[in-house]
Amino acid sequence: MPPARTRPVDNLDDDDYPAYTMGRAAEMLGVTPAFLRALGEHRLITPLRSDGGHRRYSRYQLRIAARARELVDQGTPIEAACRIVILEDQLEEAQRINDELRAQGGRSQSNMSV
């Protein structure tokens, strides 16, 4: 029998784990901490806070911030970039849900024809 894992989830594999400090996140994205703060002000990403009150970012949040940076680099105002990224994320989620419902509908119909 394999040994039990000491941690239920490896935080390094968790896209939502707030592993990155503001400084490290800014460095990885090639932006300033002010840019990350602006994304928070526009409610694109909401970093978690460490026990000491410091902002911490997840890999998922860094991907979102990177997309916003692409738009800003192309000349899109930051407010509009944040709105675009939010809408893109909502569309992706709606498409995922739609695909799941279609798959469930197909299973339901095949069960009814049995």
Side-chain angles (χ1 to χ4, degrees), residues 63-79:
R63 283 195 302 273
I64 295 290
R67 176 66 181 130
R69 181 186 178 210
E70 287 174 15
L71 292 167
V72 169
D73 286 350
Q74 295 169 4
T76 306
I78 194 164
E79 304 85 26

Side-chain angles (χ1 to χ4, degrees), residues 1 3 8 15 17 21 27-29 37 45-46 49-52 62-66 69 77 85 93 105 108-109 113:
M1 178 179 223
D15 256 5
Y17 181 72
T21 63
E27 179 184 317
M28 290 170 66
L29 295 170
R37 282 192 293 275
I45 55 176
T46 304
R49 298 283 181 151
S50 68
D51 291 340
L62 294 185
R63 283 195 302 273
I64 295 290
R69 181 186 178 210
V85 174
E93 177 67 7
S108 295
Q109 287 189 1
S113 60

Side-chain angles (χ1 to χ4, degrees), residues 2 7-9 13 15 19-20 30-31 36 50 52-53 64 68 73-75 80 85-86 92 94-95 99 104 106 111:
R7 291 184 293 172
V9 175
D13 292 333
D15 256 5
Y20 303 97
V31 300
L36 291 174
S50 68
I64 295 290
D73 286 350
Q74 295 169 4
V85 174
I86 288 167
E92 184 178 314
Q95 288 173 329
D99 290 344
Q104 289 174 1
N111 288 341

Side-chain angles (χ1 to χ4, degrees), residues 34-113:
F35 180 81
L36 291 174
R37 282 192 293 275
L39 296 181
E41 290 168 13
H42 293 293
R43 293 187 171 90
L44 179 62
I45 55 176
T46 304
L48 291 173
R49 298 283 181 151
S50 68
D51 291 340
H54 299 281
R55 290 173 178 89
R56 305 285 296 197
Y57 297 88
S58 69
R59 286 191 310 212
Y60 172 76
Q61 290 172 324
L62 294 185
R63 283 195 302 273
I64 295 290
R67 176 66 181 130
R69 181 186 178 210
E70 287 174 15
L71 292 167
V72 169
D73 286 350
Q74 295 169 4
T76 306
I78 194 164
E79 304 85 26
C82 289
R83 187 69 185 137
I84 289 167
V85 174
I86 288 167
L87 290 170
E88 287 174 343
D89 199 48
Q90 289 173 343
L91 176 60
E92 184 178 314
E93 177 67 7
Q95 288 173 329
R96 184 191 62 73
I97 291 169
N98 195 15
D99 290 344
E100 287 177 7
L101 291 173
R102 278 195 186 121
Q104 289 174 1
R107 284 193 300 269
S108 295
Q109 287 189 1
S110 59
N111 288 341
M112 290 188 328
S113 60

